[in-house]
Amino acid sequence: MSEFGLRRAPSPRKKHVTRALETRQPFKDEATGSSGPEAESLKPESRSVRTTARSKVTDMDIRTPLKILYVEDNKGDYVLVREHIREYFGSECLLEWAANGPDAIEAIRTSEYDLFLVDYQLAGTSGLDWVREAVVSAAGSPWILLTGSIQPDVDLQALEAGAADYLSKDELSASLLARSIRYSLMRQRNLVAERTLNEVLERSNAELKRLYRTAHQFVDNVSHEFRTPLTVINEFASILSDELVGPLNTEQKNFANTIMNRVEDLSVMVDDMLDMSKIEAGMLSVTRRKASARSIVDKIIHTLDRKAKSSGVTLDIDIPQSLPDVFCDPENIGRVIMNLVVNACKFSSEGGCVKLWAENKPGSSEVRIGVSDNGRGISADHIEGIFDRFNQGDGEQGALRQGFGLGLNIARELVKANFGLISVESRPGKGSTFAFTLPVMEPLSIGRKFLEFVPQLSPHSGLVCLIRVLDPGSGEATAQMERGLYAQLRQSDVVLPLPSGGWVICAALVEQKDAEAIVARLRAVLRGLVSAQEGDKSSVECIGVAALDRNPEDFLELLDDEIRKRATQDSPALALALA
Amino acid sequence: MMNDAARKPYRVLIVDDDRDLVRALIVRVSTSGFDASAVHDGRAAISTARATLPDAIVLDLRMPGMSGFDVLGELRGDETTARIPVLVLSANIAERARAMALDLGATSYMLKPFHANTLIASLTAIIDAGAQK
């Protein structure tokens, strides 16, 4: 790559060069005298004399002599340029001359040139016209436009057409021409190098993407392949333990339960592995929706109970029915709770107590869910970095832990993906409390959380649009609308129906440039859904689209304003709900 | 689990290509009071569903030949089987698989490994909901 450009391999067609040149009178040794030397230099064997060397004159690592084609219908101009070139480059440059377009095209077709000099006014036609077709498309070497006098706009036209430079013959000197040639060659070399580098980068990038997809697919498959046999083992152990096929004695029953417990451990490890791979890939599936802490716990309560029982620990669950609904992905949060409870059981001595609790302090827009134990606790040294990967502690504590040491790290990531924060408090000898927050199901506070977490969740910008659906009809229509909107957005985005029922906030993580297209798609979806329900296309409207630029605060204000403005105008009930 | 009107147990069709799991499921579902039968591929699932009109179907997604998604599509496209509640039981953790199954008309989606009590509760719930319609 340090050599000038990327040269084509010498092609067989070069042997026609001499013949082609012989048919063009203007080429006949105007450059070096009345006979011979130039024609001589064009013979195939003399071409091989051109070697790669550091030219004293051009001060570049390029192949010399340079070969330049000058397309010029005025012989006087040609002679002048030839003298300049000879003065500056001496034998390191070989100038050929074509007096018209067709000759030039033929020369380009049959020979290789390092650079072209092109007269702007070529036999009444603009040099730019044919240059665009011939030089640019066929040769790939840089070209410099020469004009009789400075003409307005020609410089711009020339550069637009791809000229490396533009020179006026009136002001031409040997050094100016030489400098222009050197710069053009240098620039071309850089361009070629850049292009090659880009190609290499693009290829590596594509390969990395492919490997990444393969690895991801592999983890998905491993997870699937593990789950199926685990299900079978677990189910047969459970059939035995439940005495569905005959009575067991106490020891047999304990054995069956042990099988189930260890299957559960293995399942958690498979889940951890899968989650970790998704978190690393930024492909964590998060479908946040309205949920209650109680219902999340109810779904996993059997497993939690069994875990506690097998550790000889009492599990005390205190989740008041009166808690407000939260906004989260219930599967994600179920995994977090499971991780925390399993950890707490492991750290508790037999006969200990693990408490799973949830609270909503008055005036707070968050629900806090926690797991407390009265186990040995964690020393200050160990608390630091406890949510980091593969931190399993050491010594006795480390030995007690099982699995990959991913649990707390995954818990933190899952909580973050659900707009929450996780924390730990512990006193050695007294026990530990791990607790995390979730936003309550209230559009504005979720909007705020969304914006707060945008920088952590994604390098994308945010987008919010308020969608107003007049007369949204049945609850089914609204649910369908929500599903339709979700389908258009990434799963990490937010779709929130406002309390009035006729309003939806979409908060999405999108590239600024894609915002408009996404909004258009959302509109189309809404129109389709509503017209299917109501048969009236005018009953849906997408307004108040705002994209988050750099400042979440500005965006938030805009969101607040929009909602309040629309609310007062259109729905006093909504205004009340937001007040 | 008795059907009050006929005093006959509800009939559940289990569709899964994993024969070990099918054996376990038959024990579990039968001992919970259902009348359980099983087939091991999608084609058989559709013909059996049409012929016997079970009260519920437990359906695996990844099966050789005809997938569970295809089975769902065909069941829902046929008037005679369109209303049979289907509980999808899959090892596919991807949210898009769940969404796709629900879009195709699955009544419920449960991940493997599952907890036996949860499976039976879910099965009872979808049959009850179907009976009320």
Side-chain angles (χ1 to χ4, degrees):
Chain A
M1 293 291 290
S2 66
E3 191 182 340
F4 166 63
L6 279 183
R7 292 200 178 273
R8 288 167 296 220
S11 74
R13 70 179 186 211
K14 275 180 200 147
K15 62 178 176 248
H16 303 300
V17 169
T18 315
R19 183 184 48 75
L21 290 174
E22 278 165 356
T23 64
R24 282 198 307 279
Q25 281 308 308
F27 272 98
K28 198 160 185 180
D29 190 30
E30 289 289 346
T32 51
S34 60
S35 70
E38 179 173 336
E40 181 73 14
S41 73
L42 288 166
K43 286 177 185 168
E45 50 276 15
S46 66
R47 284 294 297 263
S48 66
V49 172
R50 301 182 70 186
T51 53
T52 300
R54 192 168 179 86
S55 160
K56 285 191 285 286
V57 177
T58 56
D59 197 29
M60 291 190 292
D61 288 329
I62 59 169
R63 192 172 58 176
T64 55
L66 278 175
K67 204 172 160 196
I68 296 175
L69 179 65
Y70 184 17
V71 190
E72 169 65 76
D73 57 356
N74 184 320
K75 187 173 175 180
D77 286 348
Y78 162 61
V79 171
L80 186 74
V81 165
R82 186 191 68 195
E83 290 312 310
H84 284 327
I85 288 194
R86 189 179 289 162
E87 182 188 333
Y88 198 89
F89 291 98
S91 65
E92 287 188 335
C93 183
L94 200 64
L95 184 71
E96 290 179 9
W97 175 35
N100 53 53
D103 277 358
I105 289 167
E106 177 62 15
I108 290 165
R109 200 178 64 75
T110 53
S111 191
E112 284 180 21
Y113 296 94
D114 298 311
L115 185 132
F116 301 93
L117 297 170
V118 179
D119 178 35
Y120 177 59
Q121 290 293 337
L122 197 66
T125 65
S126 163
L128 287 175
D129 296 339
W130 69 267
V131 153
R132 207 175 275 120
E133 286 174 28
V135 178
V136 177
S137 64
S141 293
W143 55 282
I144 297 166
L145 194 72
L146 300 175
T147 62
S149 57
I150 290 288
Q151 295 176 39
D153 296 343
V154 171
D155 52 349
L156 286 179
Q157 284 177 39
L159 293 175
E160 269 172 24
D165 202 357
Y166 160 82
L167 299 171
S168 159
K169 290 177 197 166
D170 291 349
E171 299 162 352
L172 206 59
S173 67
S175 61
L176 182 66
L177 181 62
R179 198 188 65 183
S180 177
I181 289 172
R182 291 172 60 211
Y183 280 16
S184 300
L185 289 172
M186 191 69 106
R187 206 177 78 151
Q188 180 74 5
R189 180 170 73 170
N190 292 343
L191 271 177
V192 170
E194 197 177 302
R195 210 175 295 145
T196 314
L197 195 61
N198 275 340
E199 279 166 14
V200 170
L201 282 175
E202 266 166 32
R203 270 202 304 277
S204 332
N205 201 19
E207 177 62 10
L208 279 176
K209 276 185 182 162
R210 193 188 63 77
L211 286 175
Y212 169 83
R213 273 197 305 272
T214 311
H216 207 70
Q217 189 63 47
F218 176 75
V219 175
D220 264 356
N221 285 346
V222 166
S223 155
H224 194 280
E225 295 307 324
F226 269 72
R227 276 166 186 280
T228 309
L230 284 176
T231 307
V232 175
I233 299 169
N234 191 62
E235 209 23 43
F236 278 113
S238 148
I239 285 170
L240 291 176
S241 162
D242 290 349
E243 302 182 315
L244 297 184
V245 286
L248 300 188
N249 65 34
T250 313
E251 195 169 33
Q252 288 167 332
K253 212 167 178 172
N254 281 342
F255 289 176
N257 285 335
T258 306
I259 296 176
M260 286 158 71
N261 270 320
R262 304 315 291 264
V263 165
E264 180 60 40
D265 287 348
L266 210 49
S267 303
V268 168
M269 276 192 254
V270 170
D271 285 347
D272 280 359
M273 201 171 68
L274 190 69
D275 277 353
M276 205 64 230
S277 106
K278 285 183 171 171
I279 288 166
E280 295 243 302
M283 290 171 74
L284 188 65
S285 166
V286 188
T287 310
R288 290 175 290 250
R289 48 190 181 265
K290 182 170 143 178
S292 76
R294 185 79 238 178
S295 66
I296 294 170
V297 171
D298 280 349
K299 274 205 165 173
I300 52 172
I301 201 154
H302 292 302
T303 316
L304 295 179
D305 276 339
R306 208 174 57 227
K307 279 282 152 197
K309 221 171 170 183
S310 76
S311 306
V313 166
T314 320
L315 178 63
D316 176 14
I317 297 179
D318 177 19
I319 298 175
Q321 287 288 357
S322 59
L323 280 181
D325 284 332
V326 286
F327 181 69
C328 68
D329 181 321
E331 277 76 34
N332 285 176
I333 297 307
R335 301 257 300 106
V336 174
I337 294 174
M338 180 88 91
N339 259 324
L340 296 183
V341 170
V342 167
N343 258 355
C345 290
K346 277 183 200 163
F347 274 101
S348 299
S349 317
E350 197 149 345
C353 176
V354 170
K355 188 172 177 184
L356 168 59
W357 51 267
E359 63 175 19
N360 170 237
K361 290 200 171 124
S364 165
S365 57
E366 291 172 343
V367 164
R368 222 163 146 249
I369 299 175
V371 175
S372 308
D373 66 64
N374 58 359
R376 72 199 64 209
I378 308 160
S379 68
D381 290 354
H382 286 114
I383 281 201
E384 194 169 331
I386 199 165
F387 292 107
D388 293 341
R389 275 178 78 175
F390 303 118
N391 188 327
Q392 292 208 354
D394 46 25
E396 197 192 349
Q397 280 183 336
L400 275 169
R401 311 269 284 263
Q402 290 160 356
F404 298 137
L406 295 172
L408 286 176
N409 180 253
I410 290 170
R412 180 182 63 187
E413 297 304 316
L414 289 175
V415 166
K416 196 175 11 169
N418 285 280
F419 304 153
L421 292 173
I422 192 166
S423 59
V424 58
E425 276 174 38
S426 186
R427 284 168 63 200
K430 298 279 181 194
S432 314
T433 292
F434 286 84
F436 62 93
T437 56
L438 289 175
V440 299
M441 187 64 204
E442 195 275 306
L444 270 188
S445 61
I446 296 166
R448 282 182 178 279
K449 284 282 175 201
F450 177 80
L451 294 170
E452 188 186 323
F453 279 83
V454 161
Q456 297 177 43
L457 291 173
S458 148
H460 299 84
S461 293
L463 165 138
V464 162
C465 50
L466 294 173
I467 294 163
R468 175 197 194 200
V469 184
L470 298 174
D471 191 16
S474 64
E476 174 55 27
T478 311
Q480 210 180 352
M481 180 177 72
E482 269 184 72
R483 277 207 298 276
L485 289 171
Y486 267 127
Q488 289 301 311
L489 295 168
R490 290 149 38 109
Q491 283 174 332
S492 54
D493 299 330
V494 176
V495 179
L496 298 169
L498 293 190
S500 74
W503 288 81
V504 174
I505 295 181
C506 287
L509 301 170
V510 298
E511 300 272 6
Q512 199 88 16
K513 61 181 170 52
D514 299 335
E516 231 168 84
I518 288 175
V519 170
R521 281 214 311 272
L522 291 178
R523 279 203 182 102
V525 168
L526 286 167
R527 244 180 250 127
L529 289 171
V530 174
S531 65
Q533 291 287 330
E534 315 283 333
D536 178 9
K537 284 184 201 291
S538 66
S539 65
V540 68
E541 180 184 13
C542 182
I543 46 172
V545 178
L548 172 65
D549 203 351
R550 286 276 169 257
N551 187 348
E553 274 307 309
D554 292 351
F555 187 53
L556 204 57
E557 259 177 50
L558 204 137
L559 173 63
D560 280 2
D561 287 353
E562 277 295 332
I563 296 176
R564 281 172 203 286
K565 198 164 70 198
R566 305 288 174 179
T568 12
Q569 278 168 10
D570 301 310
S571 165
L574 176 58
L576 205 64
L578 291 169
Chain B
M1 189 54 52
M2 304 295 274
N3 179 334
D4 289 341
R7 309 300 294 168
K8 272 188 181 167
Y10 285 121
R11 289 167 304 124
V12 175
L13 175 63
I14 295 159
V15 188
D16 202 308
D17 62 317
D18 187 322
R19 286 166 192 262
D20 285 340
L21 182 61
V22 164
R23 278 182 63 202
L25 282 173
I26 285 192
V27 173
R28 173 64 64 187
V29 172
S30 307
T31 51
S32 303
F34 298 93
D35 176 359
S37 60
V39 291
H40 302 102
D41 66 83
R43 258 307 128 219
I46 288 166
S47 57
T48 311
R50 280 186 187 139
T52 64
L53 297 178
D55 296 297
I57 297 173
V58 176
L59 178 66
D60 184 26
L61 285 182
R62 190 149 91 170
M63 293 183 287
M66 194 176 188
S67 78
F69 293 120
D70 298 335
V71 173
L72 267 174
E74 280 218 18
L75 289 176
R76 292 304 181 234
D78 180 342
E79 224 174 272
T80 55
T81 55
R83 290 181 162 275
I84 302 174
V86 176
L87 187 152
V88 168
L89 192 57
S90 167
N92 194 336
I93 197 169
E95 184 57 37
R96 64 179 182 281
R98 176 194 295 269
M100 205 167 137
L102 293 177
D103 269 2
L104 281 168
T107 321
S108 180
Y109 191 97
M110 192 172 286
L111 265 182
K112 294 174 186 172
F114 53 90
H115 195 280
N117 294 353
T118 321
L119 175 77
I120 297 304
S122 218
L123 205 48
T124 310
I126 64 170
I127 293 177
D128 285 350
Q132 279 166 19
K133 276 186 183 169

